[in-house]
């Protein structure tokens, strides 16, 4: 079992550390040729969705990764990663990989609450620490195949659809690896 972590920008090392801690091997995707390595699942980290979307296109990695996800490769997107996967972004004219039937709102917590931490429930896990950094949230579920996994202050902050898992928060920036464990155990069939 090998998980590829998109390593163009943002908080990718923290994902690698957390996965390695769980005994999962990781590789970094930095350029097109890395996408042809063998791997079983993909992590799209937090950072800036506009920058990552642009780099994915410029480096010619976009279609290769989109195709893998479309064909069922398990993918876990955190924060900007959620925005890369969202089928719609309410307050952005851009759309990126766009395969998940959700409408997201970018930078949805305003300036005062730009960054915050809380402890809240995640379906199938229980209470976990959640760290939000200029986070989006899921404004709408656009298909009944999307399962809501966590709601904080009436806002959907985690969901799953088929092979795709997204969190608006950063589990990799906490000391709790339960969401990564959930991804590996429930979605990566090993
Ligand atoms: N605000 C960022 C965006 O719009 C996401 C922030 C994050 O990934 N921590 O892409």
């Amino acid at each position: 079992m090998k998980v590829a972590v998109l390593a163009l920008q943002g908080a990718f090392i923290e994902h690698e550390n957390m996965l390695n801690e769980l005994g999962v091997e990781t590789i970094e995707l930095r350029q097109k040729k890395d996408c042809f390595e063998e791997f079983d699942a993909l992590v799209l980290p937090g950072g800036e969705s506009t920058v990552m979307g642009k780099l994915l296109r410029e480096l010619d990695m976009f279609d290769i990764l989109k195709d893998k996800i479309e064909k069922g490769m398990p993918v876990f997107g955190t924060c900007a990663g959620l925005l890369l996967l969202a089928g719609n972004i309410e307050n952005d004219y851009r759309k990126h990989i766009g395969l998940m039937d959700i409408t997201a709102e970018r930078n949805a917590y305003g300036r005062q609450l730009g960054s915050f931490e809380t402890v809240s429930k995640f379906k199938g896990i229980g209470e976990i620490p959640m760290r939000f950094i200029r986070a989006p949230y899921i404004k709408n579920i656009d298909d009944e195949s999307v399962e809501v996994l966590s709601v904080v202050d009436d806002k959907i902050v985690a969901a799953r659809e088929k092979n795709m898992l997204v969190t608006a928060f950063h589990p990799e920036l906490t000391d709790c690896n339960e969401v990564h464990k959930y991804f590996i155990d429930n979605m990566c069939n090993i």
Side-chain angles (χ1 to χ4, degrees):
M1 167 82 190
K2 204 186 271 182
V3 177
V5 180
L6 185 67
L8 299 178
Q9 189 258 342
F12 54 88
I13 290 163
E14 292 81 355
H15 278 289
E16 291 169 35
N17 291 341
M18 207 154 245
L19 289 162
N20 296 158
E21 207 178 281
L22 290 168
V24 178
E25 207 184 323
T26 51
I27 58 163
E28 292 185 350
L29 303 184
R30 292 179 173 274
Q31 47 184 316
K32 185 178 182 178
K33 74 171 172 56
D34 301 335
C35 302
F36 299 115
E37 296 288 323
E38 259 186 46
F39 54 90
D40 310 288
L42 176 64
V43 168
L44 303 174
E48 275 301 317
S49 53
T50 45
V51 177
M52 267 192 265
K54 188 166 176 276
L55 287 172
L56 276 173
R57 288 178 180 94
E58 281 174 10
L59 296 167
D60 226 1
M61 297 164 77
F62 189 91
D63 291 331
I64 307 170
L65 296 181
K66 183 174 177 181
D67 187 56
K68 283 180 187 290
I69 299 168
E70 223 163 0
K71 288 190 171 132
M73 176 172 277
V75 59
F76 176 19
T78 56
C79 204
L82 176 155
L83 291 164
L84 291 179
L85 287 169
N88 296 292
I89 304 176
E90 175 123 319
N91 52 346
D92 197 338
Y93 64 91
R94 279 165 285 242
K95 175 168 159 173
H96 305 285
I97 295 170
L99 289 171
M100 193 162 173
D101 290 306
I102 55 172
T103 298
E105 172 134 349
R106 267 188 94 190
N107 300 326
Y109 291 90
R111 279 179 69 199
Q112 299 297 310
L113 272 179
S115 295
F116 64 99
E117 279 191 52
T118 187
V119 173
S120 200
K121 253 197 233 139
F122 191 103
K123 194 175 169 186
I125 299 180
E127 300 252 316
I128 54 165
M130 299 179 179
R131 182 143 176 222
F132 294 82
I133 303 172
R134 297 183 60 236
Y137 70 84
I138 299 170
K139 196 155 189 191
N140 199 52
I141 296 297
D142 301 324
D143 190 277
E144 59 186 22
S145 60
V146 179
E147 184 185 10
V148 173
L149 295 173
S150 184
V151 177
V152 173
D153 295 335
D154 297 326
K155 295 182 166 81
I156 301 170
V157 296
R160 174 185 176 175
E161 183 179 24
K162 294 175 278 186
N163 55 319
M164 296 174 279
L165 172 69
V166 291
T167 62
F169 57 91
H170 291 266
E172 79 286 4
L173 300 181
T174 70
D175 56 9
C176 171
N177 59 22
E178 291 295 330
V179 184
H180 289 74
K181 201 164 175 303
Y182 173 97
F183 177 60
I184 300 298
D185 292 348
N186 293 293
M187 297 180 62
C188 296
N189 314 313
I190 46 152

